Amino acid sequence: DVKVTQSSRYLVKRTGEKVFLECVQDMDHENMFWYRQDPGLGLRLIYFSYDVKMKEKGDIPEGYSVSREKKERFSLILESASTNQTSMYLCASSRSFGNTIYFGEGSWLTVV
Amino acid sequence: SQELEQSPQSLIVQEGKNLTINCTSSKTLYGLYWYKQKYGEGLIFLMMLQKGGEEKSHEKITAKLDEKKQQSSLHITASQPSHAGIYLCGADGLAGNEKLTFGTGTRLTIIP
């Protein structure tokens, strides 16, 4: 089975802190994604990566950056957390475009 | 405007009853995915449809993609409490690229 693991399920951070959300997949997938999910807005794509060190902006990249130094790991970085970044963050991966996207369990981030 | 419209937004069904959730787009759907999400958790992949008229079933859940590839339905037969959750449809190619776009979801509640 495909396993997408997000390192933290629940985080509480202060405004202005730097936040790292880590995601690891064990299926040698080319593509990895970060989404955030908010009530009434559904899932919105923040960034995705189709190869090591490659990244592309999604629909809402502002305030976020990503890092993919190894194929299995995709990190989401909030350089200076703000309260409007309080959300559920979901990592996902797929073998390639057009193939099934598998999701992790999600990380609940609260910024106070 | 939403590129993928899901209906209904919420559904309350008595245990044992059948139900249908719809996912509609104004554009051709190249790949249509159905996911289920328990509150506060990640998305679980259910089924993927790619061909017009295609139908797939898993246990008591059946998904169909219409011939025009603009509408999909998810049908649950003899609903059970384990079916409760949020159902999301996702589609390839709507944004003019290969990113997956999601509907806002349908919240299903099963009452005994």
Side-chain angles (χ1 to χ4, degrees), chain A residues 37 45 98 100-101 104-105 108, chain B residues 35 37 40 42 45 48 98-99:
Chain A
Q37 186 178 28
L45 182 64
T100 302
I101 296 180
E105 285 292 304
W108 283 97
Chain B
Y35 291 88
Q37 184 180 31
F45 170 73
M48 175 184 172
E98 294 165 314
K99 294 183 288 187

Side-chain angles (χ1 to χ4, degrees), chain A residues 69-111:
Chain A
E69 296 296 318
K70 293 185 178 181
K71 192 175 186 179
E72 67 271 19
R73 188 179 297 271
F74 193 36
S75 303
L76 180 69
I77 303 156
L78 287 67
E79 294 288 343
S80 179
S82 63
T83 54
N84 63 12
Q85 292 179 310
T86 292
S87 186
M88 164 83 144
Y89 290 87
L90 288 157
C91 175
S93 73
S94 69
R95 184 185 307 136
S96 61
F97 288 115
N99 283 278
T100 302
I101 296 180
Y102 296 93
F103 284 81
E105 285 292 304
S107 298
W108 283 97
L109 172 66
T110 301
V111 183

Side-chain angles (χ1 to χ4, degrees), chain A residues 28-96:
Chain A
D28 200 35
H29 282 175
E30 300 292 330
N31 300 331
M32 295 189 75
F33 308 82
W34 275 106
Y35 288 86
R36 65 177 282 179
Q37 186 178 28
D38 301 284
L41 297 175
L43 272 82
R44 293 179 292 168
L45 182 64
I46 305 171
Y47 268 98
F48 68 100
S49 168
Y50 51 89
D51 201 353
V52 175
K53 297 190 186 293
M54 305 301 288
K55 60 184 179 184
E56 284 205 23
K57 294 179 180 179
D59 300 316
I60 51 163
E62 296 78 20
Y64 303 94
S65 62
V66 290
S67 172
R68 193 163 181 205
E69 296 296 318
K70 293 185 178 181
K71 192 175 186 179
E72 67 271 19
R73 188 179 297 271
F74 193 36
S75 303
L76 180 69
I77 303 156
L78 287 67
E79 294 288 343
S80 179
S82 63
T83 54
N84 63 12
Q85 292 179 310
T86 292
S87 186
M88 164 83 144
Y89 290 87
L90 288 157
C91 175
S93 73
S94 69
R95 184 185 307 136
S96 61

Side-chain angles (χ1 to χ4, degrees), chain B residues 24 27 41 50 64 78 105 107:
Chain B
T24 303
K27 302 177 184 178
E41 298 181 8
Q50 289 182 303
K64 300 178 185 179
R107 182 180 294 273

Side-chain angles (χ1 to χ4, degrees), chain B residues 15-74:
Chain B
E15 184 177 352
K17 298 293 186 184
N18 303 337
L19 64 105
T20 300
I21 298 168
N22 293 303
C23 178
T24 303
S25 173
S26 58
K27 302 177 184 178
T28 301
L29 302 170
Y30 292 99
L32 190 287
Y33 304 78
W34 283 101
Y35 291 88
K36 179 187 174 186
Q37 184 180 31
K38 291 284 190 184
Y39 180 74
E41 298 181 8
L43 277 65
I44 299 169
F45 170 73
L46 295 175
M47 279 171 273
M48 175 184 172
L49 304 166
Q50 289 182 303
K51 301 175 184 175
E54 187 174 8
E55 179 175 320
K56 288 186 178 178
S57 293
H58 176 68
E59 297 179 346
K60 293 185 177 181
I61 301 176
T62 300
K64 300 178 185 179
L65 183 62
D66 74 339
E67 290 289 344
K68 289 186 177 180
K69 295 173 64 175
Q70 288 185 300
Q71 183 170 1
S72 178
S73 61
L74 187 81

